[in-house]
Structures are given as C-alpha cells and as structure tokens.
Amino acid sequence: MRGKSTTHALIDMLHHWNSALDNRKSVRLLFVDYAKAYDHVDHSTVVRKLINFGVRDILIRCICSFLIDRQQRVKMCAAFSSWVMLSGSMPQGSLLGPLTFIDLIDDLTTGCMTHKFVDDTTLSEFINKGEPSKMDLNLTKLLDWSSTNHMNVNIKKTKEIIICPSNSNVFSILRL
C-alpha cells in the first residue's frame, strides 16, 4: 500500500507484543525467512491467484509478458557469461516484482497473527499463563502453504523468540 513501510509493520507488531505483555501474556514469535524468495516464485501459481482475485485478463497477460522469457547473464570485469533462460523467479528491483510477490503470499494464513511485508513473514502467538503454545500447528500450516506455493523456508535464517512478562524474569531465544 502506498505510504506504508517496514516501519509501519514494525510499529504494529511492537504494539501487539507490548499489549500482550501488559496483559501478562507471553509472546512467541517466529521470524520466517524464505530461501531466495524471489528466485522461487512459481509463475503458474501467481497467474492462478491473479485469476482467482478476478484480475482482468489484459492485466494478467501484461504480467505474464513481464514474467516469461526472462534471461540473465553475469558480467565480471569485461567478460560476460552466456545468456541463460530463467524458469520461474521474480525480478527484484522492479515495480511489479513486490506487487506480484504480495499477490503470491496474500492467502498465507497460519491460525495466529501473521505480519507479511513482501517476502518477510512474522508469526506472533499470545499465550496466557498456564496455556500451551500452538506455534507447532501454526508452523505446520505455514510449511503446508509454503510447499503448496513452491516456497522454501530457510531453516538456518528462520528464528524464534519467546518473551515472557517482566516479573517472570525469563527471556528465551530459541532456534528452529
């Protein structure tokens, strides 16, 4: 959305986390990183979702033209590699790249508060004292969605944090 930024997303998340802590709830967070997110975008999945959104045919054809028959090569000093045809992927640095990626992740739901900012996803669970966490179910939903949409979670860069109310003197950082 025009005028929105990562700052807006961070302020919204911090507001929810602090509100939960003020209400004596623990906060369990999962910061999800998709491995080479733009490189793994499946074009047929994006087109199917655009059709499901009811996007006009002429716009879908324009986006298809933007996505298909893309080539790349590498330049090192004065030397160039051969051109390679790309299958899948989304051009980074373009105006349509992030918009198309947002279309891809729009239907990602997990059962807990989910903040999505282009290719960054954060799951937030608020847990009352004595209640069990359901983050494993939320993670399963995220992994199922990721598999269906041909996206790969980067386990090494995905991080989990649990923050408890201040009087419990507990702050844990866990790795997935």
Side-chain angles (χ1 to χ4, degrees), residues 42-159:
D42 180 69
H43 296 166
S44 61
T45 301
V46 169
V47 170
R48 179 180 41 81
K49 290 183 179 195
L50 289 169
I51 291 168
N52 291 342
F53 273 133
V55 173
R56 293 179 53 195
D57 185 56
I58 187 73
L59 291 175
I60 292 173
R61 283 189 272 147
C62 287
I63 290 172
C64 286
S65 177
F66 171 72
L67 294 175
I68 61 172
D69 295 331
R70 300 191 72 84
Q71 297 181 39
Q72 73 178 21
R73 67 180 180 171
V74 177
K75 176 185 176 188
M76 182 178 266
C77 298
F80 291 89
S81 70
S82 300
W83 285 100
V84 175
M85 187 67 82
L86 300 176
S87 60
S89 82
M90 183 69 52
Q92 292 186 39
S94 65
L95 292 176
L96 277 181
L99 291 173
T100 308
F101 198 87
I102 289 168
D103 168 60
L104 176 69
I105 65 167
D106 181 69
D107 62 348
L108 168 59
T109 57
T110 61
C112 67
M113 180 177 285
T114 305
H115 281 85
K116 300 172 277 188
F117 193 84
V118 190
D119 62 338
D120 295 316
T121 302
T122 302
L123 307 184
S124 301
E125 179 186 32
F126 309 109
I127 308 166
N128 288 315
K129 186 174 183 175
E131 289 184 0
S133 171
K134 297 176 184 157
M135 188 58 83
D136 58 336
L137 298 173
N138 301 324
L139 177 58
T140 299
K141 289 179 183 179
L142 180 129
L143 292 173
D144 289 345
W145 179 92
S146 300
S147 176
T148 300
N149 290 276
H150 311 287
M151 299 299 293
N152 303 316
V153 174
N154 184 344
I155 299 298
K156 290 182 179 180
K157 289 186 176 179
T158 295
K159 304 293 181 196

